[in-house]
Every structure is written in structure tokens, then in C-alpha cells.
Amino acid sequence: MNHLGDANMRTWMLRFMTLLAADTQDQLAWLGEREQETESVVEEAELLCRISEGLAERGAFEPENLRDLQATGRRLGEIDAACRAGLWADALATDQAWDEIRSLARQFLLMTPGDWRQPLPRPVRPHTGDH
């Protein structure tokens, strides 16, 4: 890795993949009372999967790690618009695609060296404009 930005992006990708790889109950607990839209989760994960090739070219990931990330990105892309609508908590309970995505994210993490074994990322508090 030759850029601080690459290191930060790698960390964000590992944290997000950790969230996607977590058991459904852990994901729901992470969400808590937050109303996270499924579309936002899909878009963020797809973006991370798309930029993975450039990160691998610059040494942030090994090229063999790309297979699982690309498979995850393809599976995310297959989620149709109707299944992207609504809250992610609801989609986790009803859409089998998330079980497949969970499996692909776990495979990626298992093949990726590093200290990804960490607690789930902290939820981002919604911006209220008060600050």
C-alpha cells in the first residue's frame, strides 16, 4: 500500500465486510432502532467491491482476494429493485440473497490476512443538523 487513503479504504472495506458476514441476529442488534435503507447498504457494498481491484493493484489486498469480493459484488447486483426497497432489517429477515452475501463476505474475510476479526462497526449516527 502506498497511500494513506488506501489503508483507510481497506479498513472500511474490512469493517463493512465484517458487518455483511455477521450472523443475522448480530446484524439486527447492530442496527438497533436505526432505520437503515436496504438500497444504501447495497450501494455502499457494491462501491467497495468495485474499488477493490484498484486497491489490489496498489497492494492493499492480494489479487486472490478479489474473487470473493467480485462474487459478492455480482450477487449484490442481482438484488432487484423491489428487494432493495425498504429497511435492511426487513430484508435480512425475508430475502435469501443476504444469506448468500453473508457466506461470500465470510469467505473473503477468511482468505484475507489481517486483523479483521473485530467487533462489528459502530453504527453511524444520523446527521441531525444540531452540531
Side-chain angles (χ1 to χ4, degrees), residues 31-61:
L31 282 167
E33 297 297 317
R34 254 179 113 230
E35 295 186 356
Q36 180 68 48
E37 294 291 327
T38 303
E39 179 71 21
S40 296
V41 174
V42 171
E43 287 176 355
E44 187 78 22
E46 284 181 315
L47 174 64
L48 290 171
C49 291
R50 280 194 306 271
I51 64 168
S52 64
E53 190 170 321
L55 289 172
E57 288 172 3
R58 294 187 301 276
F61 289 105

Side-chain angles (χ1 to χ4, degrees), residues 20-21 24 68 71-76 78-79 95-108:
L20 293 179
T24 304
D68 296 313
T72 302
R74 281 191 302 276
R75 185 60 188 103
L76 286 159
E78 293 170 357
I79 297 175
D95 189 350
Q96 292 291 332
W98 293 103
D99 292 333
E100 296 169 42
I101 292 164
R102 184 175 298 107
S103 178
L104 291 166
R106 286 178 180 175
Q107 183 62 33
F108 164 74

